Amino acid sequence: MTEFSQLGLSPTTLQAVADTGYTTATPIQAAAIPVALAGRDVLGIAQTGTGKTAAFTLPLIDRLQSGRARARMPRALVLAPTRELADQVAESFAKYAKGTKLNWVLLIGGVSMGDQVAALNKGVDVLIATPGRLIDLFERGKMLLTGVELMVIDEADRMLDMGFIPDIEKIFKLTPPKRQTLFFSATMPPEITRLTTQFLKDPTRIEASRPAMTADTITQYIVRIPTSDPKAKRTALRALVGREDVKNGIVFCNRKSEVDIVAKSLKTHGFDAAPIHGDLDQSLRMKTLADFRSGALKILVASDVAARGLDIPDVSHVFNYDVSHHADDYVHRIGRTGRAGKLGQAFMIVTPADDKALDKVLKLIKKDPEELVLDGIDFAAIKDAPRRDGGRDGGRGEKRARGRGDRPARAPRHEDAAPEALGEQPATEVAPAPLAAEDAAPARRTRSRRGAKPAVDTPVEAAPVAQTAVADLVEAEASVEPPAPREPRRERGRGRDRERNAESREAAAPEAPRSGNGRPFGDAEIPAFLRRPVTIRG
């Protein structure tokens, strides 16, 4: 065991560490702090929950105690992948730098940009930020990165997962080449290796433990259920959360939508639970985390945005509602418990659809979790029951089960319905006068209900009164003279030119078609009933 007093930290920093109750450094802290104090680059590889935040916060405070911050030119830069992790780094800095005159600002999305800009204008020693908000403010001209002396990248593999590597490369190029870099990651995929080769100068590689290994202080369990039905999974989860030894816990889901559903289900059944994921408002996310840290909230239902880097010392249990898509995420999830030498328990609900994802997890951790059987739950009955509590399909399965047979038959439209269907008496038929062939109304097919025999086609005949009205209308139309052509409107400027062009077009137009008697076939030659069709209804 290495004491903090043996690492070369200043008396002020040692006093701040002692005030927190820590006296012994973790392996990553004991190896990284002396190298960082010497001004060398550090490549730290360690599993989550091993104290990486203090491994770079403590030497950063000591290195910056001499010097003065200038407006819009931070002296140190700490990049974190998520807002929650950045906020946690800020809390750690406030805890360990309380005996110094150093100041800092937290740049994350979801909060007022005006307050952040005002703090930058006053001058800050340490800038703690997420990549997106940092680049946004830089491109607005609110800061310069030419004065950065020390740069920290935390949870680099998480940056890769979230697509931040191009942003990280851009930020690296905006900082001075002579800066000192402290680079921390739980795993080292090829893209991260390329990044460290490009931007770190002869770093000291510190590997506190094998990557992606789960802590021995965590007891892991597998809970197998015979169905993938979401209602059965939520029933199993409630049985686990309701165990007597559960002081508090974090429930992890793969999808944000599932987070809300599971949290609502737990609350409905009397558990003190709240959701947290990337789509929630930042102020609500921070309040939920604060309540969970203080003990005011017992169960936190989270997506993987909360799986990495959150330092909540006293989490007794972790529940994997879904088997993680990526095996690394499982390690980071259960790393929320069993921290700082304390004991913890992790449960993973496994369905028949999770076999492939489970195999990847077991190959990575190289352990066989203990099988736990939930007694007293009839999963077959749960599977067969109608799903009314907001399952994955949002209740649509129950609607599909009812089918179309229970729906009332659609009433026929008014214009297609027979008089009997509308509750009317059929009109007495009047003997129609003979109609010319071209005036006869076409036969119509009456619409029928689905499955019924179609009605017989019957011609719709017009009453004599209707024929008389039509004849009068045709005669009136024929007596109406066509309207005189309207003179073209002269517009200002180009009106005369347009008239000339119109005259030219008329002169060049082909001769109008003529009728059989040789006269032009104009509007006067078209019968009125052809120019304005009349609909005859029975």
Side-chain angles (χ1 to χ4, degrees), residues 377-394:
I377 301 178
D378 187 359
F379 288 105
I382 296 174
K383 178 181 179 181
D384 294 336
R387 292 163 54 183
R388 300 176 182 270
D389 60 342
R392 184 176 300 177
D393 62 355

Side-chain angles (χ1 to χ4, degrees), residues 63 88 228 238 328 433-434 442 446 516:
R63 291 291 309 279
Q88 177 181 300
S228 300
R238 291 194 298 269
D328 287 344
T446 305

Side-chain angles (χ1 to χ4, degrees), residues 46 53 57 83 87 125 202 321 334-336 390 399 424 439 456 465 482 486 511 526:
T53 304
T57 302
R83 301 170 182 178
D87 183 58
D125 295 291
D202 190 24
Y321 176 81
I334 71 171
R336 300 309 98 210
K399 295 178 183 178
E424 301 175 0
D439 294 334
V456 179
V465 176
R486 186 172 54 183
E511 185 179 1
I526 302 176

